[in-house]
mmCIF file of all heavy atoms in Angstrom:
data_model
loop_
_atom_site.group_PDB
_atom_site.id
_atom_site.type_symbol
_atom_site.label_atom_id
_atom_site.label_comp_id
_atom_site.label_asym_id
_atom_site.label_seq_id
_atom_site.Cartn_x
_atom_site.Cartn_y
_atom_site.Cartn_z
ATOM 1 N N ARG A 3 80.365 -52.785 -4.547
ATOM 2 C CA ARG A 3 79.090 -52.238 -4.078
ATOM 3 C C ARG A 3 78.657 -52.896 -2.767
ATOM 4 O O ARG A 3 77.621 -52.555 -2.212
ATOM 5 C CB ARG A 3 78.000 -52.455 -5.134
ATOM 6 C CG ARG A 3 78.111 -51.542 -6.345
ATOM 7 C CD ARG A 3 76.972 -51.798 -7.305
ATOM 8 N NE ARG A 3 75.661 -51.591 -6.684
ATOM 9 C CZ ARG A 3 74.511 -51.900 -7.286
ATOM 10 N NH1 ARG A 3 74.522 -52.444 -8.487
ATOM 11 N NH2 ARG A 3 73.371 -51.690 -6.669
ATOM 12 N N GLY A 4 79.418 -53.867 -2.292
ATOM 13 C CA GLY A 4 79.076 -54.541 -1.059
ATOM 14 C C GLY A 4 78.461 -55.904 -1.285
ATOM 15 O O GLY A 4 78.103 -56.273 -2.406
ATOM 16 N N LEU A 5 78.341 -56.649 -0.218
ATOM 17 C CA LEU A 5 77.847 -58.024 -0.258
ATOM 18 C C LEU A 5 76.511 -58.132 -0.984
ATOM 19 O O LEU A 5 75.588 -57.352 -0.744
ATOM 20 C CB LEU A 5 77.721 -58.551 1.165
ATOM 21 C CG LEU A 5 77.236 -59.981 1.391
ATOM 22 C CD1 LEU A 5 77.868 -60.537 2.664
ATOM 23 C CD2 LEU A 5 75.714 -60.032 1.512
ATOM 24 N N HIS A 6 76.427 -59.134 -1.861
ATOM 25 C CA HIS A 6 75.185 -59.376 -2.606
ATOM 26 C C HIS A 6 74.686 -60.791 -2.347
ATOM 27 O O HIS A 6 75.445 -61.748 -2.444
ATOM 28 C CB HIS A 6 75.409 -59.199 -4.104
ATOM 29 C CG HIS A 6 74.221 -59.592 -4.935
ATOM 30 N ND1 HIS A 6 73.070 -58.849 -4.980
ATOM 31 C CD2 HIS A 6 74.003 -60.668 -5.733
ATOM 32 C CE1 HIS A 6 72.190 -59.427 -5.774
ATOM 33 N NE2 HIS A 6 72.727 -60.541 -6.235
ATOM 34 N N ARG A 7 73.418 -60.912 -1.995
ATOM 35 C CA ARG A 7 72.815 -62.235 -1.780
ATOM 36 C C ARG A 7 71.785 -62.506 -2.878
ATOM 37 O O ARG A 7 71.030 -61.617 -3.268
ATOM 38 C CB ARG A 7 72.129 -62.316 -0.418
ATOM 39 C CG ARG A 7 73.092 -62.248 0.771
ATOM 40 C CD ARG A 7 72.309 -62.380 2.066
ATOM 41 N NE ARG A 7 73.141 -62.204 3.242
ATOM 42 C CZ ARG A 7 73.799 -63.188 3.846
ATOM 43 N NH1 ARG A 7 73.718 -64.419 3.356
ATOM 44 N NH2 ARG A 7 74.526 -62.954 4.915
ATOM 45 N N GLU A 8 71.751 -63.746 -3.323
ATOM 46 C CA GLU A 8 70.761 -64.137 -4.311
ATOM 47 C C GLU A 8 69.379 -64.279 -3.671
ATOM 48 O O GLU A 8 69.255 -64.532 -2.467
ATOM 49 C CB GLU A 8 71.138 -65.482 -4.947
ATOM 50 C CG GLU A 8 72.387 -65.441 -5.792
ATOM 51 C CD GLU A 8 72.649 -66.758 -6.488
ATOM 52 O OE1 GLU A 8 71.967 -67.758 -6.161
ATOM 53 O OE2 GLU A 8 73.537 -66.793 -7.337
ATOM 54 N N GLN A 9 68.359 -64.119 -4.477
ATOM 55 C CA GLN A 9 66.997 -64.404 -4.031
ATOM 56 C C GLN A 9 66.829 -65.924 -3.983
ATOM 57 O O GLN A 9 66.966 -66.600 -4.995
ATOM 58 C CB GLN A 9 65.980 -63.806 -5.005
ATOM 59 C CG GLN A 9 64.533 -64.013 -4.610
ATOM 60 C CD GLN A 9 64.159 -63.263 -3.345
ATOM 61 O OE1 GLN A 9 64.667 -62.164 -3.105
ATOM 62 N NE2 GLN A 9 63.270 -63.842 -2.558
ATOM 63 N N PRO A 10 66.567 -66.489 -2.814
ATOM 64 C CA PRO A 10 66.485 -67.953 -2.722
ATOM 65 C C PRO A 10 65.387 -68.529 -3.613
ATOM 66 O O PRO A 10 64.302 -67.960 -3.740
ATOM 67 C CB PRO A 10 66.171 -68.198 -1.241
ATOM 68 C CG PRO A 10 66.634 -66.965 -0.538
ATOM 69 C CD PRO A 10 66.397 -65.843 -1.504
ATOM 70 N N ALA A 11 65.700 -69.679 -4.215
ATOM 71 C CA ALA A 11 64.720 -70.352 -5.067
ATOM 72 C C ALA A 11 63.601 -70.972 -4.240
ATOM 73 O O ALA A 11 62.485 -71.129 -4.711
ATOM 74 C CB ALA A 11 65.408 -71.420 -5.899
ATOM 75 N N ARG A 12 63.927 -71.376 -3.009
ATOM 76 C CA ARG A 12 62.998 -72.052 -2.085
ATOM 77 C C ARG A 12 62.682 -73.479 -2.535
ATOM 78 O O ARG A 12 62.725 -74.413 -1.742
ATOM 79 C CB ARG A 12 61.696 -71.267 -1.908
ATOM 80 C CG ARG A 12 61.890 -69.879 -1.342
ATOM 81 C CD ARG A 12 62.591 -69.895 0.011
ATOM 82 N NE ARG A 12 62.782 -68.547 0.555
ATOM 83 C CZ ARG A 12 63.539 -68.274 1.590
ATOM 84 N NH1 ARG A 12 64.215 -69.250 2.204
ATOM 85 N NH2 ARG A 12 63.673 -67.033 2.026
ATOM 86 N N GLU A 13 62.370 -73.668 -3.813
ATOM 87 C CA GLU A 13 62.186 -75.011 -4.344
ATOM 88 C C GLU A 13 62.689 -75.043 -5.783
ATOM 89 O O GLU A 13 62.678 -74.021 -6.471
ATOM 90 C CB GLU A 13 60.724 -75.440 -4.288
ATOM 91 C CG GLU A 13 59.764 -74.570 -5.074
ATOM 92 C CD GLU A 13 58.335 -75.088 -4.993
ATOM 93 O OE1 GLU A 13 58.102 -76.226 -5.462
ATOM 94 O OE2 GLU A 13 57.468 -74.383 -4.456
ATOM 95 N N LEU A 14 63.180 -76.200 -6.206
ATOM 96 C CA LEU A 14 63.729 -76.340 -7.549
ATOM 97 C C LEU A 14 62.665 -76.885 -8.489
ATOM 98 O O LEU A 14 62.085 -77.936 -8.242
ATOM 99 C CB LEU A 14 64.948 -77.274 -7.532
ATOM 100 C CG LEU A 14 66.160 -76.775 -6.754
ATOM 101 C CD1 LEU A 14 67.309 -77.766 -6.860
ATOM 102 C CD2 LEU A 14 66.610 -75.405 -7.252
ATOM 103 N N ARG A 15 62.442 -76.174 -9.572
ATOM 104 C CA ARG A 15 61.438 -76.578 -10.553
ATOM 105 C C ARG A 15 62.118 -77.084 -11.825
ATOM 106 O O ARG A 15 63.259 -76.759 -12.100
ATOM 107 C CB ARG A 15 60.518 -75.400 -10.891
ATOM 108 C CG ARG A 15 59.815 -74.805 -9.677
ATOM 109 C CD ARG A 15 58.946 -73.627 -10.080
ATOM 110 N NE ARG A 15 58.324 -72.990 -8.917
ATOM 111 C CZ ARG A 15 57.190 -73.386 -8.376
ATOM 112 N NH1 ARG A 15 56.547 -74.440 -8.895
ATOM 113 N NH2 ARG A 15 56.688 -72.753 -7.322
ATOM 114 N N GLY A 16 61.404 -77.865 -12.579
ATOM 115 C CA GLY A 16 61.885 -78.303 -13.880
ATOM 116 C C GLY A 16 62.898 -79.428 -13.849
ATOM 117 O O GLY A 16 63.559 -79.683 -14.861
ATOM 118 N N LEU A 17 63.058 -80.098 -12.724
ATOM 119 C CA LEU A 17 63.978 -81.223 -12.658
ATOM 120 C C LEU A 17 63.348 -82.459 -13.269
ATOM 121 O O LEU A 17 62.155 -82.730 -13.081
ATOM 122 C CB LEU A 17 64.353 -81.524 -11.205
ATOM 123 C CG LEU A 17 65.135 -80.466 -10.425
ATOM 124 C CD1 LEU A 17 65.353 -80.938 -8.992
ATOM 125 C CD2 LEU A 17 66.457 -80.159 -11.087
ATOM 126 N N GLY A 18 64.155 -83.232 -14.024
ATOM 127 C CA GLY A 18 63.691 -84.514 -14.509
ATOM 128 C C GLY A 18 63.613 -85.505 -13.365
ATOM 129 O O GLY A 18 64.099 -85.243 -12.253
ATOM 130 N N ALA A 19 63.013 -86.650 -13.643
ATOM 131 C CA ALA A 19 62.810 -87.649 -12.590
ATOM 132 C C ALA A 19 64.126 -88.100 -11.978
ATOM 133 O O ALA A 19 64.254 -88.192 -10.743
ATOM 134 C CB ALA A 19 62.045 -88.847 -13.150
ATOM 135 N N LEU A 20 65.142 -88.372 -12.812
ATOM 136 C CA LEU A 20 66.428 -88.840 -12.297
ATOM 137 C C LEU A 20 67.151 -87.724 -11.541
ATOM 138 O O LEU A 20 67.804 -87.977 -10.523
ATOM 139 C CB LEU A 20 67.301 -89.357 -13.433
ATOM 140 C CG LEU A 20 66.816 -90.645 -14.117
ATOM 141 C CD1 LEU A 20 67.751 -91.019 -15.261
ATOM 142 C CD2 LEU A 20 66.738 -91.786 -13.108
ATOM 143 N N GLU A 21 67.027 -86.481 -12.034
ATOM 144 C CA GLU A 21 67.634 -85.354 -11.342
ATOM 145 C C GLU A 21 67.003 -85.165 -9.966
ATOM 146 O O GLU A 21 67.712 -84.980 -8.960
ATOM 147 C CB GLU A 21 67.470 -84.081 -12.166
ATOM 148 C CG GLU A 21 68.247 -84.047 -13.458
ATOM 149 C CD GLU A 21 67.932 -82.809 -14.264
ATOM 150 O OE1 GLU A 21 66.745 -82.612 -14.599
ATOM 151 O OE2 GLU A 21 68.857 -82.022 -14.553
ATOM 152 N N ALA A 22 65.699 -85.187 -9.917
ATOM 153 C CA ALA A 22 64.995 -84.995 -8.646
ATOM 154 C C ALA A 22 65.342 -86.100 -7.654
ATOM 155 O O ALA A 22 65.510 -85.838 -6.457
ATOM 156 C CB ALA A 22 63.481 -84.968 -8.891
ATOM 157 N N GLN A 23 65.471 -87.310 -8.154
ATOM 158 C CA GLN A 23 65.835 -88.435 -7.281
ATOM 159 C C GLN A 23 67.213 -88.239 -6.688
ATOM 160 O O GLN A 23 67.438 -88.474 -5.493
ATOM 161 C CB GLN A 23 65.779 -89.736 -8.077
ATOM 162 C CG GLN A 23 66.075 -90.983 -7.264
ATOM 163 C CD GLN A 23 66.014 -92.247 -8.116
ATOM 164 O OE1 GLN A 23 66.113 -92.195 -9.336
ATOM 165 N NE2 GLN A 23 65.867 -93.388 -7.463
ATOM 166 N N ARG A 24 68.140 -87.771 -7.521
ATOM 167 C CA ARG A 24 69.512 -87.579 -7.045
ATOM 168 C C ARG A 24 69.600 -86.409 -6.066
ATOM 169 O O ARG A 24 70.289 -86.484 -5.044
ATOM 170 C CB ARG A 24 70.443 -87.345 -8.242
ATOM 171 C CG ARG A 24 71.910 -87.338 -7.880
ATOM 172 C CD ARG A 24 72.331 -88.639 -7.233
ATOM 173 N NE ARG A 24 73.691 -88.539 -6.710
ATOM 174 C CZ ARG A 24 74.118 -89.175 -5.652
ATOM 175 N NH1 ARG A 24 73.321 -89.971 -4.975
ATOM 176 N NH2 ARG A 24 75.368 -89.037 -5.244
ATOM 177 N N VAL A 25 68.902 -85.318 -6.356
ATOM 178 C CA VAL A 25 68.897 -84.171 -5.459
ATOM 179 C C VAL A 25 68.320 -84.574 -4.106
ATOM 180 O O VAL A 25 68.847 -84.195 -3.046
ATOM 181 C CB VAL A 25 68.097 -83.002 -6.067
ATOM 182 C CG1 VAL A 25 67.787 -81.937 -5.014
ATOM 183 C CG2 VAL A 25 68.870 -82.377 -7.224
ATOM 184 N N SER A 26 67.264 -85.360 -4.111
ATOM 185 C CA SER A 26 66.657 -85.822 -2.867
ATOM 186 C C SER A 26 67.641 -86.646 -2.048
ATOM 187 O O SER A 26 67.725 -86.500 -0.821
ATOM 188 C CB SER A 26 65.398 -86.642 -3.172
ATOM 189 O OG SER A 26 64.809 -87.129 -1.983
ATOM 190 N N ALA A 27 68.409 -87.508 -2.710
ATOM 191 C CA ALA A 27 69.393 -88.330 -2.010
ATOM 192 C C ALA A 27 70.492 -87.473 -1.400
ATOM 193 O O ALA A 27 70.955 -87.733 -0.275
ATOM 194 C CB ALA A 27 69.991 -89.355 -2.971
ATOM 195 N N LEU A 28 70.926 -86.435 -2.110
ATOM 196 C CA LEU A 28 71.974 -85.552 -1.589
ATOM 197 C C LEU A 28 71.468 -84.728 -0.414
ATOM 198 O O LEU A 28 72.182 -84.524 0.569
ATOM 199 C CB LEU A 28 72.490 -84.636 -2.702
ATOM 200 C CG LEU A 28 73.260 -85.321 -3.830
ATOM 201 C CD1 LEU A 28 73.468 -84.367 -4.991
ATOM 202 C CD2 LEU A 28 74.599 -85.855 -3.335
ATOM 203 N N ARG A 29 70.239 -84.255 -0.508
ATOM 204 C CA ARG A 29 69.655 -83.509 0.610
ATOM 205 C C ARG A 29 69.654 -84.359 1.870
ATOM 206 O O ARG A 29 70.001 -83.892 2.956
ATOM 207 C CB ARG A 29 68.227 -83.098 0.260
ATOM 208 C CG ARG A 29 68.081 -81.961 -0.725
ATOM 209 C CD ARG A 29 66.627 -81.788 -1.085
ATOM 210 N NE ARG A 29 66.391 -80.711 -2.032
ATOM 211 C CZ ARG A 29 65.327 -80.660 -2.834
ATOM 212 N NH1 ARG A 29 64.420 -81.626 -2.803
ATOM 213 N NH2 ARG A 29 65.171 -79.646 -3.654
ATOM 214 N N SER A 30 69.235 -85.600 1.714
ATOM 215 C CA SER A 30 69.141 -86.496 2.861
ATOM 216 C C SER A 30 70.517 -86.894 3.377
ATOM 217 O O SER A 30 70.772 -86.880 4.582
ATOM 218 C CB SER A 30 68.347 -87.744 2.469
ATOM 219 O OG SER A 30 68.318 -88.680 3.525
ATOM 220 N N GLY A 31 71.427 -87.233 2.469
ATOM 221 C CA GLY A 31 72.735 -87.724 2.873
ATOM 222 C C GLY A 31 73.621 -86.670 3.513
ATOM 223 O O GLY A 31 74.428 -86.981 4.393
ATOM 224 N N TYR A 32 73.489 -85.412 3.056
ATOM 225 C CA TYR A 32 74.367 -84.350 3.556
ATOM 226 C C TYR A 32 73.622 -83.289 4.361
ATOM 227 O O TYR A 32 74.236 -82.321 4.811
ATOM 228 C CB TYR A 32 75.100 -83.692 2.381
ATOM 229 C CG TYR A 32 76.125 -84.613 1.753
ATOM 230 C CD1 TYR A 32 75.771 -85.446 0.696
ATOM 231 C CD2 TYR A 32 77.425 -84.675 2.235
ATOM 232 C CE1 TYR A 32 76.694 -86.308 0.128
ATOM 233 C CE2 TYR A 32 78.360 -85.530 1.664
ATOM 234 C CZ TYR A 32 77.984 -86.344 0.617
ATOM 235 O OH TYR A 32 78.901 -87.205 0.058
ATOM 236 N N GLN A 33 72.343 -83.483 4.544
ATOM 237 C CA GLN A 33 71.536 -82.538 5.319
ATOM 238 C C GLN A 33 71.681 -81.111 4.785
ATOM 239 O O GLN A 33 71.990 -80.164 5.521
ATOM 240 C CB GLN A 33 71.906 -82.598 6.802
ATOM 241 C CG GLN A 33 71.618 -83.940 7.456
ATOM 242 C CD GLN A 33 70.136 -84.287 7.445
ATOM 243 O OE1 GLN A 33 69.337 -83.613 8.091
ATOM 244 N NE2 GLN A 33 69.766 -85.331 6.708
ATOM 245 N N VAL A 34 71.469 -80.959 3.475
ATOM 246 C CA VAL A 34 71.573 -79.647 2.840
ATOM 247 C C VAL A 34 70.294 -79.350 2.066
ATOM 248 O O VAL A 34 69.583 -80.255 1.624
ATOM 249 C CB VAL A 34 72.776 -79.567 1.868
ATOM 250 C CG1 VAL A 34 74.092 -79.665 2.623
ATOM 251 C CG2 VAL A 34 72.692 -80.655 0.791
ATOM 252 N N GLN A 35 70.031 -78.071 1.908
ATOM 253 C CA GLN A 35 68.973 -77.574 1.047
ATOM 254 C C GLN A 35 69.462 -76.254 0.469
ATOM 255 O O GLN A 35 69.136 -75.177 0.958
ATOM 256 C CB GLN A 35 67.655 -77.389 1.806
ATOM 257 C CG GLN A 35 66.902 -78.687 2.070
ATOM 258 C CD GLN A 35 65.508 -78.429 2.609
ATOM 259 O OE1 GLN A 35 65.333 -77.801 3.655
ATOM 260 N NE2 GLN A 35 64.511 -78.908 1.889
ATOM 261 N N PHE A 36 70.272 -76.349 -0.561
ATOM 262 C CA PHE A 36 70.917 -75.163 -1.119
ATOM 263 C C PHE A 36 69.899 -74.115 -1.571
ATOM 264 O O PHE A 36 70.159 -72.909 -1.507
ATOM 265 C CB PHE A 36 71.809 -75.559 -2.291
ATOM 266 C CG PHE A 36 72.921 -76.494 -1.926
ATOM 267 C CD1 PHE A 36 73.130 -77.665 -2.643
ATOM 268 C CD2 PHE A 36 73.760 -76.224 -0.860
ATOM 269 C CE1 PHE A 36 74.163 -78.532 -2.309
ATOM 270 C CE2 PHE A 36 74.804 -77.079 -0.513
ATOM 271 C CZ PHE A 36 75.003 -78.242 -1.248
ATOM 272 N N GLU A 37 68.739 -74.572 -2.039
ATOM 273 C CA GLU A 37 67.753 -73.652 -2.592
ATOM 274 C C GLU A 37 67.128 -72.743 -1.538
ATOM 275 O O GLU A 37 66.452 -71.767 -1.881
ATOM 276 C CB GLU A 37 66.658 -74.426 -3.328
ATOM 277 C CG GLU A 37 65.853 -75.366 -2.467
ATOM 278 C CD GLU A 37 66.474 -76.743 -2.331
ATOM 279 O OE1 GLU A 37 67.707 -76.883 -2.507
ATOM 280 O OE2 GLU A 37 65.723 -77.685 -2.046
ATOM 281 N N GLN A 38 67.370 -73.019 -0.258
ATOM 282 C CA GLN A 38 66.852 -72.142 0.791
ATOM 283 C C GLN A 38 67.679 -70.865 0.936
ATOM 284 O O GLN A 38 67.234 -69.905 1.560
ATOM 285 C CB GLN A 38 66.806 -72.893 2.129
ATOM 286 C CG GLN A 38 65.884 -74.093 2.131
ATOM 287 C CD GLN A 38 64.464 -73.739 1.709
ATOM 288 O OE1 GLN A 38 63.873 -72.783 2.218
ATOM 289 N NE2 GLN A 38 63.915 -74.507 0.767
ATOM 290 N N ARG A 39 68.874 -70.869 0.355
ATOM 291 C CA ARG A 39 69.732 -69.676 0.440
ATOM 292 C C ARG A 39 70.170 -69.165 -0.927
ATOM 293 O O ARG A 39 70.604 -68.023 -1.046
ATOM 294 C CB ARG A 39 70.983 -69.964 1.276
ATOM 295 C CG ARG A 39 70.721 -70.195 2.737
ATOM 296 C CD ARG A 39 71.986 -70.183 3.557
ATOM 297 N NE ARG A 39 72.883 -71.289 3.236
ATOM 298 C CZ ARG A 39 73.986 -71.179 2.521
ATOM 299 N NH1 ARG A 39 74.352 -70.018 2.036
ATOM 300 N NH2 ARG A 39 74.739 -72.236 2.294
ATOM 301 N N LEU A 40 70.089 -70.028 -1.954
ATOM 302 C CA LEU A 40 70.620 -69.678 -3.261
ATOM 303 C C LEU A 40 69.525 -69.682 -4.325
ATOM 304 O O LEU A 40 68.475 -70.304 -4.157
ATOM 305 C CB LEU A 40 71.713 -70.671 -3.665
ATOM 306 C CG LEU A 40 72.928 -70.761 -2.739
ATOM 307 C CD1 LEU A 40 73.825 -71.926 -3.144
ATOM 308 C CD2 LEU A 40 73.718 -69.442 -2.746
ATOM 309 N N GLY A 41 69.815 -68.997 -5.436
ATOM 310 C CA GLY A 41 68.904 -68.993 -6.566
ATOM 311 C C GLY A 41 68.877 -70.340 -7.263
ATOM 312 O O GLY A 41 69.676 -71.234 -6.957
ATOM 313 N N PRO A 42 67.981 -70.537 -8.227
ATOM 314 C CA PRO A 42 67.834 -71.847 -8.868
ATOM 315 C C PRO A 42 69.091 -72.343 -9.569
ATOM 316 O O PRO A 42 69.456 -73.516 -9.429
ATOM 317 C CB PRO A 42 66.688 -71.636 -9.854
ATOM 318 C CG PRO A 42 66.530 -70.154 -9.994
ATOM 319 C CD PRO A 42 66.986 -69.563 -8.706
ATOM 320 N N ARG A 43 69.773 -71.475 -10.312
ATOM 321 C CA ARG A 43 70.966 -71.929 -11.037
ATOM 322 C C ARG A 43 72.090 -72.302 -10.079
ATOM 323 O O ARG A 43 72.715 -73.359 -10.224
ATOM 324 C CB ARG A 43 71.447 -70.842 -12.008
ATOM 325 C CG ARG A 43 72.644 -71.266 -12.852
ATOM 326 C CD ARG A 43 73.006 -70.206 -13.881
ATOM 327 N NE ARG A 43 74.121 -70.630 -14.703
ATOM 328 C CZ ARG A 43 75.405 -70.486 -14.371
ATOM 329 N NH1 ARG A 43 75.716 -69.925 -13.198
ATOM 330 N NH2 ARG A 43 76.374 -70.892 -15.170
ATOM 331 N N SER A 44 72.365 -71.442 -9.100
ATOM 332 C CA SER A 44 73.428 -71.720 -8.141
ATOM 333 C C SER A 44 73.116 -72.970 -7.323
ATOM 334 O O SER A 44 74.012 -73.762 -7.016
ATOM 335 C CB SER A 44 73.642 -70.530 -7.203
ATOM 336 O OG SER A 44 74.066 -69.393 -7.923
ATOM 337 N N SER A 45 71.856 -73.158 -6.974
ATOM 338 C CA SER A 45 71.468 -74.344 -6.207
ATOM 339 C C SER A 45 71.745 -75.612 -7.006
ATOM 340 O O SER A 45 72.298 -76.587 -6.484
ATOM 341 C CB SER A 45 69.981 -74.270 -5.842
ATOM 342 O OG SER A 45 69.719 -73.172 -5.020
ATOM 343 N N LYS A 46 71.369 -75.602 -8.283
ATOM 344 C CA LYS A 46 71.571 -76.781 -9.121
ATOM 345 C C LYS A 46 73.056 -77.096 -9.292
ATOM 346 O O LYS A 46 73.464 -78.261 -9.284
ATOM 347 C CB LYS A 46 70.904 -76.577 -10.481
ATOM 348 C CG LYS A 46 69.389 -76.588 -10.420
ATOM 349 C CD LYS A 46 68.768 -76.309 -11.783
ATOM 350 C CE LYS A 46 67.254 -76.275 -11.708
ATOM 351 N NZ LYS A 46 66.633 -75.956 -13.024
ATOM 352 N N ILE A 47 73.884 -76.053 -9.440
ATOM 353 C CA ILE A 47 75.317 -76.280 -9.591
ATOM 354 C C ILE A 47 75.909 -76.847 -8.310
ATOM 355 O O ILE A 47 76.768 -77.738 -8.348
ATOM 356 C CB ILE A 47 76.039 -74.981 -10.008
ATOM 357 C CG1 ILE A 47 75.633 -74.588 -11.427
ATOM 358 C CG2 ILE A 47 77.555 -75.155 -9.927
ATOM 359 C CD1 ILE A 47 76.244 -73.288 -11.904
ATOM 360 N N ASN A 48 75.464 -76.358 -7.171
ATOM 361 C CA ASN A 48 75.953 -76.902 -5.904
ATOM 362 C C ASN A 48 75.580 -78.374 -5.759
ATOM 363 O O ASN A 48 76.388 -79.192 -5.316
ATOM 364 C CB ASN A 48 75.415 -76.090 -4.728
ATOM 365 C CG ASN A 48 76.292 -74.907 -4.378
ATOM 366 O OD1 ASN A 48 77.245 -75.027 -3.598
ATOM 367 N ND2 ASN A 48 76.001 -73.761 -4.978
ATOM 368 N N TYR A 49 74.370 -78.729 -6.130
ATOM 369 C CA TYR A 49 73.982 -80.141 -6.089
ATOM 370 C C TYR A 49 74.814 -80.960 -7.082
ATOM 371 O O TYR A 49 75.210 -82.088 -6.782
ATOM 372 C CB TYR A 49 72.496 -80.301 -6.393
ATOM 373 C CG TYR A 49 71.595 -79.969 -5.233
ATOM 374 C CD1 TYR A 49 70.644 -78.947 -5.329
ATOM 375 C CD2 TYR A 49 71.685 -80.663 -4.025
ATOM 376 C CE1 TYR A 49 69.817 -78.632 -4.262
ATOM 377 C CE2 TYR A 49 70.859 -80.351 -2.946
ATOM 378 C CZ TYR A 49 69.932 -79.334 -3.075
ATOM 379 O OH TYR A 49 69.119 -79.026 -2.008
#
């Protein structure tokens, strides 16, 4: 049916404290924000 893009999550909700801390470190270390282009599940898996 052609290329399909996910609706971006924009921000990740429901993360525990340790998860949020780790995601923040990865964003900073690799200069990424997967949730700006991907849905919540895909963003979490990429992180």
Side-chain angles (χ1 to χ4, degrees):
R3 286 182 59 188
L5 181 149
H6 173 72
R7 293 182 185 271
E8 293 185 350
Q9 182 67 35
R12 300 302 180 191
E13 60 179 298
L14 295 182
R15 303 179 183 274
L17 295 178
L20 292 178
E21 292 175 302
Q23 183 180 20
R24 189 59 189 148
V25 166
S26 179
L28 292 169
R29 285 173 180 156
S30 176
Y32 290 91
Q33 296 297 294
V34 294
Q35 283 190 301
F36 299 129
E37 62 273 24
Q38 298 305 311
R39 292 192 295 104
L40 300 171
R43 183 175 182 275
S44 297
S45 297
K46 290 177 182 178
I47 292 177
N48 272 273
Y49 282 120

